[in-house]
Amino acid sequence: MAEVLKAEVASFEYAWTEDDFLRCLRQRNCIGMVAEVNDRIVGFMIYELHKSKLHILNFAVAPNVRRTGIGRLMVKKLIGKLSTHRRSKITLAVRERNLAAQLFFRNQDFKAVRVLRDYYEDSGEDAFLMEFRVEEEEEQYDVPVNRIAQFEEN
């Protein structure tokens, strides 16, 4: 937890406390994931499971290892948990002033879909709701043909 809190404080002006993390992770639908390099936690994400989506609550990579692909790998891991049949999107709110996060998630194929006015209680700041959607794949194989039905139609 100490390494997660260190990355959190280094990443955000309004950082979560240890109690915030514990309160969230005690909920049934809340999942935590960490990224490790050489047995050190260098990134984390907290997300909620919903019926049709995953919602990222908190996401950070330690400043000294940013731009090395760790964040991209964490997003890729989360995208791998989606399917076109059940959960088909990932959402998150990004502070209006957090341009680095906006650009990072845009580079991971997230799109800003809505402005959330006065979203953050700590600052009254607006947020952008960003969303990643799984593209439904078209069937790549031929559908079996019912030759008897074709014969009866003729």
Side-chain angles (χ1 to χ4, degrees), residues 5-57:
L5 288 170
K6 185 177 177 183
E8 173 75 5
V9 168
S11 298
F12 301 111
E13 180 180 354
Y14 301 99
W16 282 21
T17 65
E18 184 172 353
D19 284 344
D20 293 331
F21 279 98
L22 295 175
R23 190 178 316 108
C24 182
L25 291 170
R26 285 187 182 121
Q27 295 187 32
R28 180 177 290 173
N29 69 329
C30 205
I31 307 288
M33 181 189 319
V34 296
E36 293 180 320
V37 173
N38 298 327
D39 295 325
R40 295 200 47 109
I41 294 173
V42 294
F44 69 88
M45 112 172 70
I46 308 290
Y47 63 95
E48 290 177 318
L49 301 168
H50 294 273
K51 188 173 183 177
S52 63
K53 69 179 181 179
L54 301 174
H55 180 74
I56 298 173
L57 297 171

Side-chain angles (χ1 to χ4, degrees), residues 54-76:
L54 301 174
H55 180 74
I56 298 173
L57 297 171
N58 199 339
F59 184 102
V61 174
N64 63 321
V65 292
R66 288 186 186 151
R67 299 188 165 276
T68 62
I70 291 166
R72 183 175 34 81
L73 289 172
M74 290 191 326
V75 169
K76 186 176 179 181

Side-chain angles (χ1 to χ4, degrees), residues 3 8 22-23 28 44 55 59 61 76 82 91 98 105 111 126 129-130 134 137 140 145 151:
E3 290 174 308
E8 173 75 5
L22 295 175
R23 190 178 316 108
R28 180 177 290 173
F44 69 88
H55 180 74
F59 184 102
V61 174
K76 186 176 179 181
L82 297 176
T91 60
N98 193 345
F105 284 104
K111 306 231 180 310
D126 293 346
L129 179 65
M130 299 190 77
V134 172
E137 298 175 18
Q140 296 293 326
V145 176
F151 179 75

Side-chain angles (χ1 to χ4, degrees), residues 49-121:
L49 301 168
H50 294 273
K51 188 173 183 177
S52 63
K53 69 179 181 179
L54 301 174
H55 180 74
I56 298 173
L57 297 171
N58 199 339
F59 184 102
V61 174
N64 63 321
V65 292
R66 288 186 186 151
R67 299 188 165 276
T68 62
I70 291 166
R72 183 175 34 81
L73 289 172
M74 290 191 326
V75 169
K76 186 176 179 181
K77 181 82 168 174
L78 193 59
I79 289 170
K81 296 180 180 300
L82 297 176
S83 75
T84 56
H85 304 298
R86 181 130 191 223
R87 293 184 182 106
S88 60
K89 68 181 176 179
I90 301 170
T91 60
L92 77 153
V94 179
R95 285 183 187 268
E96 183 179 36
R97 288 184 294 151
N98 193 345
L99 183 59
Q102 293 168 34
L103 293 172
F104 168 77
F105 284 104
R106 188 175 79 183
N107 286 334
Q108 309 311 309
D109 296 325
F110 282 72
K111 306 231 180 310
V113 294
R114 191 165 64 226
V115 175
L116 305 171
R117 298 284 179 211
D118 301 318
Y119 183 77
Y120 291 97
E121 292 177 14

